[in-house]
Amino acid sequence: MTDETRPATESPATASGARQGGARQGGARQGGPSRSELDDLVAKTDTGARNPHGVVGIAVTAVALAWALFQLYIASPLPFVLSRLTGLPLVLNDAQIRPIHLGFALFLAYCAYPALSRSPRDRIPVLDLILAAAAAACALYIFVFYRELSNRPGLSITQDLVVAGLGLVLLLEATRRALGPPLAIVAIVFLLYVFFGSSPFVPDILQWGGASFSRAMDQMWLTSGGVFGVALGVSASFVFLFVLFGSLLDKAGAGNFFIKLAFALLGHLRGGPAKAAVLSSMMTGVISGSSIANVVTTGTFTIPLMKRVGFSAEKAGSVEVASSVNGQIMPPVMGAAAFLMVEYVGISYTAVITHAFLPAVISYIALLYLVHLEALKNAMPALPKRVVHPLPTALLRAGITIASILILAGLVYFGIRGVQAVLPDVSTPVLLAIVGAVYVALIWLASKGPDLEIDDPDAPVIELPIATEVLKTGLHYILPIVVLVWFLMVEKRSPGLSAFYAVMLLLVILVTQKPLKALFRRMRGAQVIAAAREGLADLTQGLILGSRNMIGIACATATAGIIVGTVTLTGVGQVMAEFVEFISGGNILLILVFTALISLVLGMGLPTTANYIVVATLMAPVIVELGQANGIIIPLIAAHLFVFYFGIMADVTPPVGLASFAAAAVSRGDPLKTGFTAFFYSFRTVLLPFIFVFNTDLLLIDVGWAQGIWVFVKATAAMLVFAAATQAYFLVKSRVWETVALLLVAFLLLRPGFLIDQIVPPYEPLPATQIEDAIAATPEGGIVRLGVSGPRFSDLQVEQRTLAFTLPGADLDPATRLEQATGLVYLIEGERVLLEEPFDPRSPGGRTLGHLDFYDPDNAVVITAVEVPVEQPARAWSYLPAALLFGLVWLAQTRRAKRQDDEAKHGRGTTSAAGGEGVRA
């Protein structure tokens, strides 16, 4: 029996671990948490741990259901249709939708989340009901009086201020209950800074004039500059529908389908459960906005099986954490951050997920390879495969499957386009009929086999499912995803409308899949009716679960609005830029390191959405601004993805590391060790942001299809080599020089321009007096670099730096192009080029040079040089030393692997010659 097909139960090293796991008794594993304990863990972080009984419980459930129905109503075309038919103003604007959205969230937060750990779970105290009503009323105050408030901006009356102050306090308490103390504490610190920014205990660099209570409340609650700002608007418009989509899809059975499919495809390989955990977590990440829920959902099954094949408790938990947290960077949802990026970066949703796609996929491929190396290092067994095909047959079947998927995708695309072209007037009903027919056919196919059951990972023998059988039972789950992607990517509809159509299809699936299966299985009428009732129950529970999943996200986006409002009101973002530049000395790599550390700290204990809002508001502009101030143009989307990646890493790293603690609860491993191991496994996720900031090809910025394929192949190879280096194992255990060589290979593949830049600098300095010629020769969108020198206000010391800016249209004169791009105005005096003080301090030039003294008669602020790009050798030359280094490592390890194999064979032969039976394979 080969290593690839040996059952895990035959491994002596893991037999004891399997015996210790035991069988489930009453839903619990011996030595592990029960199902109810895990559900409670998810509830505490995602849906609320309180489930009241009786009339109050029914009322709370009705409110959650009403919230879901309200969100579907405002996302649908129905308000516009009803308005036309009735003549009533039934279409709500953002100023009306946002307070209603927050009102629902605050009411449910006080009802679903206990105030303290010892608070009752089966009933709602009267005080909590009063607080829930008061919090909802404070939010709805904006809905009721939004016209009056818009007519008196900055002139708040006493009633406005009382409601705003009470609303902020109740919002912070709701956030503490739903998300824990971290975000509430951060928001309170920012509020204190608003009021006491001029106090002597505030460092001089951070001091500002402070704001009155009226001014602060106007910013934070009564206008759209704080709580009711962009973040809450995105939560109400897009995020809710995508969270609802994930909840309904999971309720329909897609979560178990993804796990089964992952195990059917990868479970039979070395370290198969870990590879299946990576794949299933990636697929679950598409429908889940919570890394913790992802850990618990997939980890309940994958972690015991990983331990069974030889992973320690900490490593099993770490693999699940690394793969689950990576689900937050995987388009199309990205933990709802994708929709916020649309608003913050100012590009289309399609562009956001295009830029984010390649790093996420490469990261998952590298994690799969890392797990494979871990299994090879420890000679882990594999789970038995029910049907074993020879390698040529397996490759042929895989090729046919991939080709079939591509052909089917082409048929779907051209089929839909053909119907739209041939039948433009009736294409919608025709396509709906086709989708309905396909759905019924897939349900008929699913009815031919048994429904998927959740397996027991602690059973004495684990029987892996067959991929084709799993696919038959769940192909209809892919239809809503296809609809979502079609409307987003092909029809270019808004995320909200696209999610609405996908959710509506899911509603149909939930209601009809069980009765249709019963009909196709020729069950009795009573059984069909019972199945229909189950479908309606699933639909209702899915809607309620979607609403409860949104409580924390809505509170988080609202509370993060306090931080956004503070940054807008106080200008503290500029202070952050100065602070980071001061401690980094202007070195761009150190700037990125310090920004990453700050993002990591800011993200501790925050859910993905709030995490992104905080780090994007404070740190993303810092990267762009300091890049410009130090001669590097960093695209805004690259800066946002950079801080987003490091923000979500806070879910991994101790001392907070919520996902790591959840995985440790499942694996019964040490939480801190699990967190540190998971961070080690996530090194590739840590490396990628540093790479795509300097090499924007990874984000597919200005990259065509052919070049994009090459970038994907090259970057994937680099990350696989990096994984081998971090594991100190390639073909065999690596020596120190081999690990260093592999790291160099990965770096040269990911940053091919670095070596070329050291040989031939990318820019050539010209005299400052040639500035107009240099600007005139730069095409639209081209980069100009200026050397600037001038005295600082603080100490009158002369500072020299190189600035980089992107120039606008080439049809303008050079002076106008530079002023539009930078806000800088120059004056040529003989051999000197003087700079005037920027008129707009918020312009790029004003932000980067605002600390200089433009009125010192002895030391003027001058342009010292203009740098223009030079022609360099092709970057492909960097691949030559990379290939040579890799070849040396491969050759050395191949020889060592052959020698070890020969020694192993010789050892077995000696044992046999001595008269023994030898070591069993």
Side-chain angles (χ1 to χ4, degrees):
M1 184 176 292
T2 65
D3 285 336
E4 292 294 320
T5 59
R6 183 182 294 118
T9 51
E10 291 183 14
S11 170
T14 59
S16 60
R19 286 193 295 270
Q20 290 172 4
R24 287 185 184 272
Q25 296 179 0
R29 291 191 310 275
Q30 295 178 358
S34 67
R35 180 73 252 179
S36 61
E37 290 173 332
L38 294 175
D39 290 341
D40 187 59
L41 176 64
V42 175
K44 286 179 180 178
T45 56
D46 287 338
T47 61
R50 180 187 281 157
N51 285 296
H53 304 310
V55 177
V56 175
I58 295 173
V60 171
T61 301
V63 171
L65 184 60
W67 191 13
L69 295 176
F70 168 75
Q71 295 290 156
L72 289 174
Y73 168 77
I74 62 173
S76 71
L78 188 59
F80 300 94
V81 175
L82 292 177
S83 294
R84 285 197 301 268
L85 293 177
T86 63
L88 299 174
L90 299 176
V91 179
L92 302 179
N93 57 36
D94 286 343
Q96 295 168 303
I97 292 172
R98 293 176 188 180
I100 296 175
H101 179 77
L102 182 59
F104 274 116
L106 292 177
F107 182 86
L108 291 173
Y110 281 99
C111 293
Y113 289 89
L116 302 169
S117 59
R118 62 178 180 272
S119 298
R121 304 291 184 90
D122 57 349
R123 62 181 178 86
I124 303 176
V126 175
L127 177 60
D128 281 358
L129 288 174
I130 294 173
L131 293 175
C138 290
L140 293 176
Y141 180 85
I142 307 299
F143 167 73
V144 175
F145 297 103
Y146 83 96
R147 292 190 187 278
E148 290 84 345
L149 291 170
S150 63
N151 291 331
R152 54 171 188 262
L155 300 173
S156 306
I157 62 177
T158 303
Q159 175 180 294
D160 298 338
L161 298 178
V162 170
V163 170
L166 181 61
L168 279 178
V169 172
L170 291 172
L171 170 62
L172 291 171
E173 168 58 14
T175 302
R176 183 198 67 80
R177 293 187 181 203
L179 304 168
L183 181 57
I185 291 172
V186 171
I188 290 171
V189 169
F190 275 81
L191 275 176
L192 291 174
Y193 177 67
V194 168
F195 293 118
F196 305 106
S198 59
S199 300
F201 56 81
V202 177
D204 292 342
I205 192 174
L206 292 175
Q207 284 189 3
W208 84 293
S212 66
F213 183 78
S214 175
R215 178 71 185 91
M217 293 304 100
D218 186 71
Q219 174 77 20
M220 299 299 173
W221 193 269
L222 301 174
T223 66
S224 60
V227 169
F228 297 98
V230 170
L232 187 64
V234 172
S235 175
S237 302
F238 307 142
V239 178
F240 190 103
L241 290 172
F242 278 86
V243 171
L244 184 62
F245 175 79
S247 298
L248 293 174
L249 196 58
D250 186 57
K251 193 64 183 176
N256 188 40
F257 168 72
F258 289 150
I259 294 174
K260 289 271 194 177
L261 185 60
F263 269 86
L265 294 173
L266 302 177
H268 63 286
L269 303 174
R270 282 280 188 96
K275 294 173 183 175
V278 173
L279 183 59
S280 61
S281 293
M282 181 186 75
M283 293 189 290
T284 305
V286 173
I287 66 174
S288 171
S290 167
S291 56
I292 299 168
N294 200 341
V295 165
V296 173
T297 301
T298 57
T300 304
F301 186 68
T302 60
I303 288 175
L305 289 178
M306 281 190 270
K307 292 169 67 176
R308 193 166 182 170
V309 297
F311 283 89
S312 67
E314 288 77 18
K315 286 187 176 181
S318 299
V319 170
E320 185 58 52
V321 169
S323 53
S324 294
V325 170
N326 264 32
Q328 305 302 290
I329 66 174
M330 175 61 69
V333 179
M334 297 169 61
F339 316 114
L340 288 161
M341 286 183 191
V342 171
E343 301 294 330
Y344 288 161
V345 182
I347 59 179
S348 69
Y349 173 80
T350 304
V352 168
I353 60 176
T354 299
H355 297 321
F357 178 74
L358 204 58
V361 171
I362 292 171
S363 183
Y364 265 110
I365 293 174
L367 182 57
L368 279 170
Y369 184 59
L370 185 148
V371 166
H372 175 69
L373 293 176
E374 191 75 56
L376 289 178
K377 279 199 303 183
N378 297 283
M380 294 181 184
L383 296 174
K385 190 176 181 181
R386 289 165 62 183
V387 179
V388 180
H389 296 285
L391 182 60
T393 304
L395 291 175
L396 180 61
R397 288 167 62 91
I400 293 173
T401 301
I402 295 172
S404 301
I405 293 172
L406 294 175
I407 292 171
L408 181 61
L411 289 175
V412 169
Y413 177 82
F414 290 109
I416 294 175
R417 285 304 193 208
V419 171
Q420 291 174 334
V422 176
L423 303 170
D425 297 330
V426 294
S427 60
T428 299
V430 170
L431 290 173
L432 285 174
I434 292 173
V435 170
V438 170
Y439 166 65
V440 172
L442 293 178
I443 291 293
W444 171 82
L445 184 64
S447 69
K448 296 303 178 183
D451 293 334
L452 293 178
E453 299 288 342
I454 298 177
D455 291 331
D456 181 0
D458 295 315
V461 177
I462 293 295
E463 190 176 69
L464 291 177
I466 298 174
T468 53
E469 294 179 359
V470 175
L471 274 174
K472 288 178 184 178
T473 65
L475 279 173
H476 58 287
Y477 297 135
I478 301 175
L479 274 179
I481 299 175
V482 171
V483 169
L484 177 64
V485 173
W486 176 268
F487 278 103
L488 282 173
M489 304 295 293
V490 181
E491 298 290 340
K492 307 292 185 183
R493 301 292 179 89
S494 71
L497 191 60
S498 303
F500 170 76
Y501 288 129
V503 167
M504 294 308 294
L505 178 55
L506 264 175
L507 298 182
V508 173
I509 291 175
L510 275 164
V511 172
T512 61
Q513 65 172 343
K514 289 184 177 179
L516 281 176
K517 285 181 183 179
L519 285 172
F520 286 131
R521 289 166 180 166
R522 298 184 179 180
M523 294 182 177
R524 297 177 181 177
Q527 293 174 307
V528 175
I529 293 174
R533 288 174 178 167
E534 286 184 25
L536 287 172
D538 288 342
L539 171 61
T540 305
Q541 292 170 13
L543 291 172
I544 294 169
L545 184 62
S547 294
R548 294 190 64 142
N549 278 330
M550 268 302 298
I551 298 171
I553 296 175
C555 291
T557 53
T559 305
I562 296 174
I563 298 166
V564 176
T566 302
V567 172
T568 305
L569 185 62
T570 65
V572 71
Q574 180 66 31
V575 175
M576 291 294 295
E578 294 174 2
F579 174 71
V580 171
E581 185 172 29
F582 171 74
I583 60 176
S584 64
N587 182 286
I588 189 63
L589 186 59
L590 287 178
I591 287 171
L592 291 174
V593 169
F594 286 123
T595 304
L597 291 175
I598 293 172
S599 299
L600 196 62
V601 172
L602 289 173
M604 285 185 176
L606 304 186
T608 304
T609 311
N611 179 332
Y612 170 68
I613 296 169
V614 173
V615 297
T617 302
L618 288 175
M619 302 311 303
V622 170
I623 294 179
V624 175
E625 182 178 322
L626 295 184
Q628 285 183 329
N630 291 277
I632 296 177
I633 294 294
I634 299 175
L636 187 57
I637 183 63
H640 277 260
L641 286 172
F642 182 92
V643 297
F644 176 59
Y645 270 54
F646 281 99
I648 64 170
M649 286 305 295
D651 269 355
V652 178
T653 50
V656 179
L658 297 179
S660 296
F661 279 87
V666 179
S667 69
R668 290 301 186 191
D670 179 78
L672 290 178
K673 189 174 180 182
T674 300
F676 285 118
T677 306
F679 184 78
F680 176 75
Y681 284 165
S682 300
F683 266 169
R684 74 214 181 285
T685 309
V686 172
L687 174 68
L688 278 170
F690 285 97
I691 298 301
F692 63 57
V693 162
F694 294 104
N695 181 11
T696 57
D697 287 351
L698 277 175
L699 301 181
L700 300 180
I701 295 177
D702 299 326
V703 171
W705 280 101
Q707 186 183 358
I709 293 173
W710 167 239
V711 169
F712 171 72
V713 172
K714 179 186 67 172
T716 302
M719 293 309 296
L720 296 181
V721 171
F722 180 76
T726 56
Q727 286 294 100
Y729 192 96
F730 179 40
L731 301 177
V732 292
K733 184 176 175 59
S734 298
R735 292 171 176 162
V736 174
W737 75 267
E738 292 170 339
T739 296
V740 173
L742 290 176
L743 288 173
L744 284 174
V745 170
F747 179 76
L748 290 173
L749 289 175
L750 291 169
R751 280 279 285 129
F754 178 81
L755 188 60
I756 301 299
D757 290 348
Q758 307 312 307
I759 300 172
V760 179
Y763 291 95
E764 175 188 4
L766 299 177
T769 52
Q770 297 185 24
I771 182 172
E772 295 191 342
D773 294 336
I775 292 176
T778 304
E780 181 177 355
I783 297 173
V784 62
R785 285 165 50 108
L786 304 177
V788 176
S789 173
R792 293 191 293 257
F793 265 122
S794 56
D795 54 12
L796 297 182
Q797 293 294 314
V798 175
E799 176 180 289
Q800 295 183 342
R801 62 171 60 208
T802 301
L803 312 180
F805 304 101
T806 303
L807 293 177
D811 56 335
L812 303 173
D813 64 88
T816 303
R817 294 183 74 190
L818 185 66
E819 185 176 3
Q820 287 189 2
T822 66
L824 298 176
V825 176
Y826 63 85
L827 177 65
I828 300 178
E829 286 188 355
E831 297 300 318
R832 296 198 310 170
V833 180
L834 306 178
L835 280 177
E836 297 182 4
E837 182 179 17
F839 178 77
D840 183 2
R842 295 172 298 179
S843 65
R847 291 196 304 268
T848 53
L849 300 179
H851 62 292
L852 299 183
D853 185 357
F854 285 83
Y855 302 100
D856 189 333
D858 299 321
N859 288 316
V861 180
V862 297
I863 297 177
T864 58
V866 181
E867 297 187 2
V868 296
V870 300
E871 186 174 350
Q872 292 181 292
R875 290 186 175 187
W877 285 108
S878 294
Y879 304 143
L880 182 59
L884 290 174
L885 281 173
F886 182 78
L888 286 174
V889 174
W890 181 82
L891 184 62
Q893 295 212 2
T894 300
R895 290 178 175 176
R896 202 153 68 248
K898 185 176 183 302
R899 186 166 61 251
Q900 290 176 4
D901 287 344
D902 291 341
E903 291 174 355
K905 290 178 182 178
H906 179 72
R908 284 199 296 270
T910 303
T911 304
S912 297
E917 293 181 355
V919 179
R920 292 178 61 187

